[in-house]
Structures are given as C-alpha cells and as structure tokens.
Amino acid sequence: MRDLPLAKVYQLLEPGPVVLLTTAHKGRANVMAMSWHMMVEFEPPLIACVVSNADYSYTTLRATKQCVIAIPALKLASKVVQIGNCSGQGVDKFQSIGLTAAPAKLVEAPLVAECFANLECKVVDTHLVNKYNLFVLEVLKAWTDPAQKHPKTIHHHGYGSFVVDGETIKLKSRMP
Amino acid sequence: MRDLPLAKVYQLLEPGPVVLLTTAHKGRANVMAMSWHMMVEFEPPLIACVVSNADYSYTTLRATKQCVIAIPALKLASKVVQIGNCSGQGVDKFQSIGLTAAPAKLVEAPLVAECFANLECKVVDTHLVNKYNLFVLEVLKAWTDPAQKHPKTIHHHGYGSFVVDGETIKLKSRMP
C-alpha cells in the first residue's frame, strides 16, 4: 500500500462507488458494504455517510469514533455482496468471506488488503446521527495499492444490480 | 415525463451520478452541476448534498428551501461541464447553454427537460449548513423520461475526467 495525498481522496469517492466500512472494538473487527456516502470537503477530506442503526457496525462506530473506508474493485464484487448479505453479529466476516484485515496506522479498524484504496477515518460530527444515522468523518490517512492500476469500481442500483465503470471521457472542466 | 414512485428514487442517486441542481427565485432560474450528494433515507426519499457558499445557487437554496435535482445522461456531458464552468450570476445558463427549463409541479425551481430523471425537493434540515454547506432534502415528486431507456450516467473523478456507466452485472444480494 502506498500513501495517497489527502487532497486526492475526493477523486475516489465522488464517483459513487460501493465501498466497505470496517470497524473494530476490543480486538474484534467487522466489515459492512455501503453506498450512502459523499464528499463534504476537499482537504482535510471530510466524508458524510449513513450507517443504519440496524447495522451491527453502527454501535461500534458510535463507540470508537473510528473506521476505515475501503474501496473494492470489480473483482471483489461477489465478496461485497456476501458482506452485505450477512450481519457481523457472531460472525468474523473477514474469515468467513476470505478477506485480509491488515493493520491501519492511525485507527484500530483494519484496512482491507484486497481493496485498491483504504481511508483511515475518525468521526468528527455526530449532530445528525440520532435523526438520520448520518456521520461526518475526517480522513486521517489514505492508502492506495500501486499493483491495482485503473481499477473498475461498481455502483449499486438496488437489489444486486451493479453498474461497472466503463470508458473514461475527458472534458475541459474548470472544476477540481 | 412519467411519475416515478418515490420508493425507487434511491436507485437513481445511490450509484453516484453527476447531477444538476436547479433553483429559482423571483422568476429567475439557475442550474449548477453537483457530485457531492448521497441518499439518507429510502421513503420518503431523503438526500444530503453539499452546495458551497461560493456557488451562486447557495443563497437561493437557503432562501427558497426548494430545488430540483435533475440527472443527465452521457449525451449531456458537454453541457454539464459548461454548467460547471460558469456562474449563474448575471447569466441565464438555461438560455446560454441551451437547456429547457420546464415547470415543476410542487416547487418553483424548474425541471431540466433534457434530463432522464427530475426530483422535486424541499430542504428539510439545515443544521449542518453553516458548518459544512450540507443540506438535507426531501424528494416530494419524481419524474422520469420514458423515451430515455437505459441511460448511461457519468461519474466525476476530478478535473473533467468522467467515467461513463459500463456493463450491468446482477448478483444475488439481499440488500434493497
């Protein structure tokens, strides 16, 4: 895994890929799939996301105020669905699904070694958690896997239908 | 334009397409491009989005508490970039760029007739506006254009680089 400058993090999340969110508490790690996230600020990168209070990760995220957002490429699509199809209650999803929890540098939640990008995050705002399950995160450290070049991400359209990244077009935009 | 059930709105926004946001105040309409949005609730559909206080639309959105989120397909990509490249201050972007502002049913902000989906929204939460420019919207009414079948959306990776929807894969997910 190679360092990614924090100023480039938005380019990973702005396009709306399905991501994984890992948490850890008292030595026990969990991972969930998530599509409800968005950028809030470029640098330091702030991310908003919705983690339902019906999700097993919710309690850990509230308690530890830490997580990792890991971005899977197409080759992990079937594992992403397996992650979404089961709860972490009483199950070690990393082991049962076959993913590698790698140590992060600044948070207890693990990186997902198979993902092409991993973002170590802390919760910085909980004002909208009770009403909407909406957390605001700050990215503390970002990693990319230099071995995964031009990864194609997947975008959920509901009920297991995913659109895969197609061609890239380049237009003369003044927008960052 | 055909009615879309509100329960299906999340399937449009969850995949992270670039969208247009229209506002109107005192008979004057504007449109901006936006990638920082996410779903917050299925039904009634709630959407969070970031509209910078440097954007001309910000003041109107705060004042009127209404907007339309319109979703453009690939064919509108160059117009989306033109929208992002200029401010609405002193310019009628609909006219200068060549887009059709069509009347909405429940809000003053216009639909964008060329877009394959249009969502009429009201602002329902402004707690995080001062701190993060983060608005929470409720979708009041949703429209789709039945003439645009299987539209491909675009996803911004920064500086005018857009990934276009590619193939669709179907996996056995229990997630809505």
Side-chain angles (χ1 to χ4, degrees), chain A residues 133-151:
Chain A
N133 298 329
L134 188 159
F135 295 81
V136 181
L137 313 173
E138 179 183 333
V139 181
L140 304 173
K141 182 144 194 66
W143 305 95
T144 54
D145 178 1
Q148 296 192 53
K149 294 189 195 308
H150 311 297

Side-chain angles (χ1 to χ4, degrees), chain B residues 8-79:
Chain B
K8 289 192 173 179
V9 164
Y10 79 96
Q11 296 175 6
L12 296 170
L13 288 186
E14 191 172 305
V18 176
V19 300
L20 304 177
L21 185 136
T22 82
T23 48
H25 197 31
K26 296 177 181 170
R28 189 158 146 35
N30 191 30
V31 57
M32 61 174 278
M34 179 170 80
S35 283
W36 291 11
H37 59 77
M38 69 171 176
M39 291 305 303
V40 170
E41 186 53 87
F42 289 103
E43 194 177 10
L46 299 181
I47 299 166
C49 65
V50 174
V51 176
S52 166
N53 54 16
D55 288 323
Y56 186 64
S57 302
Y58 174 87
T59 309
T60 309
L61 183 59
R62 282 203 83 154
T64 65
K65 293 189 179 296
Q66 294 186 343
C67 63
V68 166
I69 290 179
I71 311 180
L74 173 60
K75 65 177 180 180
L76 294 177
S78 67
K79 294 195 178 194

Side-chain angles (χ1 to χ4, degrees), chain A residues 1-5 12 111 115-120 141-149:
Chain A
M1 286 282 175
R2 179 183 292 167
D3 266 345
L4 179 75
L12 295 170
L111 313 180
C115 286
F116 72 87
N118 278 273
L119 312 175
E120 302 186 24
K141 182 144 194 66
W143 305 95
T144 54
D145 178 1
Q148 296 192 53
K149 294 189 195 308

Side-chain angles (χ1 to χ4, degrees), chain A residues 10-12 14-17 33 35-42 46 48-50 74 77-78 80-81 84-86 124-125 127-128 131-132 134-136 153-176, chain B residues 10-12 14-17 33 35-42 46 48-50 74 77-78 80-81 84-86 124-125 127-128 131-132 134-136 153-176:
Chain A
Y10 79 96
Q11 296 176 4
L12 295 170
E14 191 171 305
S35 284
W36 291 12
H37 59 79
M38 69 170 175
M39 291 305 303
V40 170
E41 185 54 86
F42 288 104
L46 299 180
C49 66
V50 174
L74 173 60
S78 68
V80 170
V81 169
N85 279 350
C86 64
V124 291
D125 200 304
H127 279 94
L128 296 189
K131 198 165 179 189
Y132 301 116
L134 188 159
F135 295 81
V136 181
T153 62
I154 57 174
H155 304 260
H156 193 226
H157 282 249
Y159 298 101
S161 179
F162 296 87
V163 167
V164 181
D165 284 350
E167 62 167 343
T168 297
I169 58 175
K170 186 86 189 162
L171 297 168
K172 286 192 178 167
S173 172
R174 291 191 201 125
M175 291 181 290
Chain B
Y10 79 96
Q11 296 175 6
L12 296 170
E14 191 172 305
S35 283
W36 291 11
H37 59 77
M38 69 171 176
M39 291 305 303
V40 170
E41 186 53 87
F42 289 103
L46 299 181
C49 65
V50 174
L74 173 60
S78 67
V80 169
V81 169
N85 279 349
C86 65
V124 292
D125 199 303
H127 280 93
L128 297 189
K131 198 166 180 188
Y132 302 115
L134 188 160
F135 296 81
V136 181
T153 62
I154 58 174
H155 304 260
H156 192 228
H157 283 249
Y159 298 100
S161 178
F162 295 88
V163 166
V164 181
D165 284 350
E167 61 166 344
T168 297
I169 58 175
K170 187 86 187 160
L171 296 168
K172 285 191 179 168
S173 173
R174 292 191 200 125
M175 292 180 289

